[in-house]
């Protein structure tokens, strides 16, 4: 834990809660498990199941069922949480790719007699806006005219449409996990990169509460859903929610407050000129809340081991080494690699503040 980052609201935080893992700590069946996906989330899911789990980065277009032969459980990671390893495909091409792959996984799972498919996406499909109420498992997704569906959100919504059709079939059982903001070793998302910026971006008049989920808890939730035969949509998040002042104090970062029109307008201009590949709409997920309730998981007995406070410690530890090279990461030639609208806008806003300060000092 980094010095000075172990406290929120004046209370010392532990790295994890002391609660036991419960039923998910022990293997309950001899099912052959195949994890389909790349990146840190897929790696954590494979670790949660232990030795013998097979991992496949992507099912081939030809004879995809061969990769799943004998699989009783398939875990499909649709949100890999790996910006650095993202394909960088244009919006429509990216959406078409994830739809085709999700269709292949479901078809191959049916062909080999898989009994349960668990897909790991994100609660970002529900959208984020000022004073957003807590997201429950049975909440419908906003209409396309209510929440922009481009970038990552568009990809995940498209994948979930395929999964929803799959759920209507008798087999396999299909479960979709929609986690809060994921943190943990190797996790690289627009939320984690928000904390790499020189300052924390906030939108004037909006209070952004923060909820996280550790990738270990997310992996444990996937296994728990299989063991308890939970189907349908399951939101996944830590028990606690952090207030903005708590996050700012723990991060040791000053915030920059911009009008919504300025923040989103800047992000949109960056995207339009090609400096920022992520659509401006992704900025909403770092300046507005999208807290989840984890209704059915908790009712069934699942409990997260990591609190949001402890997750924030993990996030801050993960980005600490990058703060020293933040200038290099957001240099004009490297902005495309940044990938997080919030961080880019915060950098621009900070630069504007510095320019204003320098102008006031001039005679």
């Amino acid at each position: 834990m980094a010095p000075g980052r172990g406290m929120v609201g004046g209370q010392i935080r532990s790295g994890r809660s002391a609660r036991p893992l419960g039923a998910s700590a022990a293997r309950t069946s001899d099912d052959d498990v195949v994890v389909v996906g790349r990146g840190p989330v897929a790696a954590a899911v494979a670790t949660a199941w232990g030795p013998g789990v097979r991992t496949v980065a992507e099912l081939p277009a030809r004879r995809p069922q061969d990769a799943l032969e004998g699989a009783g459980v398939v875990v499909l990671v649709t949100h890999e949480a790996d910006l650095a390893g993202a394909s960088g495909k244009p919006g429509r091409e990216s959406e078409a790719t994830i739809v085709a792959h999700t269709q292949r996984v479901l078809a191959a799972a049916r062909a080999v007699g898989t009994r349960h498919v668990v897909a790991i996406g994100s609660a970002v499909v529900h959208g984020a806006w000022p004073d957003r109420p807590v997201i429950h498992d049975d909440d419908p997704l906003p209409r396309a005219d209510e929440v922009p569906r481009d970038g990552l959100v568009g990809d995940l919504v498209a994948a979930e449409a395929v999964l929803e059709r799959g759920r209507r079939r008798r087999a396999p059982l299909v479960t979709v996990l929609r986690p809060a903001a994921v943190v943990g070793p190797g996790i690289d998302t627009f939320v984690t990169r928000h904390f790499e910026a020189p300052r924390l971006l906030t939108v004037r008049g909006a209070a952004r509460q923060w909820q996280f989920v550790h990738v270990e808890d997310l992996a444990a939730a996937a296994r728990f859903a299989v063991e308890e035969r939970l189907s349908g949509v399951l939101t996944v998040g830590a028990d606690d929610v952090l207030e903005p002042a708590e996050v700012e104090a723990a991060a040791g970062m000053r915030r920059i407050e911009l009008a919504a029109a300025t923040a989103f307008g800047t992000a949109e201009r960056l995207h339009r000129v090609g400096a920022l590949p992520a659509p401006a709409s992704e900025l909403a997920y770092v300046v507005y809340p999208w807290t989840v309730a984890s209704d059915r998981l908790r009712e069934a007995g699942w409990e997260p081991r990591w609190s949001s406070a402890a997750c924030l410690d993990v996030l801050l530890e993960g980005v600490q080494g990058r703060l020293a090279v933040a200038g290099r990461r957001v240099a004009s030639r490297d902005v495309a690699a940044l990938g997080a609208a919030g961080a880019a806008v915060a950098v621009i806003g900070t630069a504007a503040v510095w320019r204003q300060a320098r102008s006031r000092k001039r005679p």
Side-chain angles (χ1 to χ4, degrees):
M1 183 180 297
R5 286 181 175 171
M7 299 183 69
V8 162
Q11 297 181 349
I12 296 176
R13 304 199 301 242
S14 62
R16 308 185 190 192
S17 73
R19 285 174 292 200
L21 279 171
S24 62
R27 194 177 182 100
T28 58
S29 74
D30 294 325
D31 279 323
D32 190 359
V33 179
V34 178
V35 179
V36 182
R38 302 178 177 86
V41 175
V45 171
T47 299
W49 254 281
V53 173
R54 286 185 283 155
T55 58
V56 181
E58 181 178 346
L59 295 195
R62 293 188 60 187
R63 298 192 59 80
Q65 65 271 22
D66 290 351
L68 301 185
E69 188 64 41
V73 175
V74 173
V75 182
L76 170 63
V77 180
T78 58
H79 180 27
E80 297 175 345
D82 183 15
L83 273 178
S87 67
K89 295 178 180 178
R92 290 186 178 180
E93 184 180 349
S94 177
E95 183 175 314
T97 298
I98 195 170
V99 165
H101 188 243
T102 304
Q103 290 172 334
R104 281 203 303 277
V105 170
L106 282 178
R110 282 194 293 269
V112 301
T114 297
R115 70 174 182 87
H116 201 150
V117 172
V118 178
I120 299 178
S122 173
V124 296
V125 295
H126 284 282
W129 55 82
D131 301 318
R132 197 206 193 292
V134 173
I135 300 166
H136 294 277
D137 292 355
D138 58 357
D139 285 353
L141 296 185
R143 300 191 308 270
D145 61 341
E146 295 175 321
V147 173
R149 293 183 176 180
D150 46 7
L152 171 67
V153 179
D155 289 352
L156 295 179
V157 169
E160 284 208 15
V162 176
L163 294 163
E164 176 59 30
R165 292 192 293 271
R167 284 173 53 197
R168 299 170 190 163
R169 310 269 304 249
R170 292 179 64 90
L173 200 66
V174 176
T175 305
V176 177
L177 300 186
R178 294 175 182 166
V182 182
V183 306
I187 298 296
D188 182 16
T189 67
F190 52 70
V191 171
T192 62
R193 291 200 181 188
H194 182 64
F195 290 86
E196 294 179 29
R199 298 189 184 187
L200 288 177
L201 174 67
T202 62
V203 166
R204 192 169 300 139
R208 202 289 192 215
Q209 290 82 22
W210 289 89
Q211 181 195 39
F212 301 101
V213 63
H214 197 282
V215 69
E216 290 179 0
D217 282 333
L218 177 57
R223 183 166 181 174
F224 184 87
V226 171
E227 292 167 348
E228 300 297 323
R229 296 186 58 79
L230 301 177
S231 63
V233 172
L234 304 173
T235 54
V236 191
D239 290 328
D240 58 325
V241 176
L242 304 177
E243 295 299 322
E246 294 178 298
V247 172
E248 291 168 22
M253 297 169 65
R254 296 177 62 186
R255 67 175 177 172
I256 179 167
E257 186 178 89
L258 301 176
T262 301
F264 284 92
T266 300
E268 178 57 37
R269 287 192 293 275
L270 286 171
H271 182 60
R272 190 166 54 244
V273 300
L276 191 69
S281 57
E282 285 189 1
L283 183 62
Y285 298 95
V286 296
V287 298
Y288 299 138
W290 44 291
T291 303
V292 303
S294 308
D295 306 283
R296 294 173 55 222
L297 278 171
R298 288 197 170 93
E299 289 171 3
W302 174 84
E303 292 185 353
R305 298 181 68 200
W306 295 78
S307 65
S308 285
C311 285
L312 179 59
D313 278 338
V314 172
L315 191 163
L316 295 174
E317 288 287 350
V319 304
Q320 186 180 30
R322 300 188 185 107
L323 293 177
V325 295
R328 181 184 62 80
R329 292 197 63 163
V330 299
S332 58
R333 67 182 180 278
D334 293 331
V335 168
L338 184 64
V345 172
V347 168
I348 290 175
T350 302
V353 171
W354 287 339
R355 285 196 299 271
Q356 292 169 6
R358 286 198 300 269
S359 66
R360 284 196 296 267
K361 292 179 181 178
R362 291 171 184 163

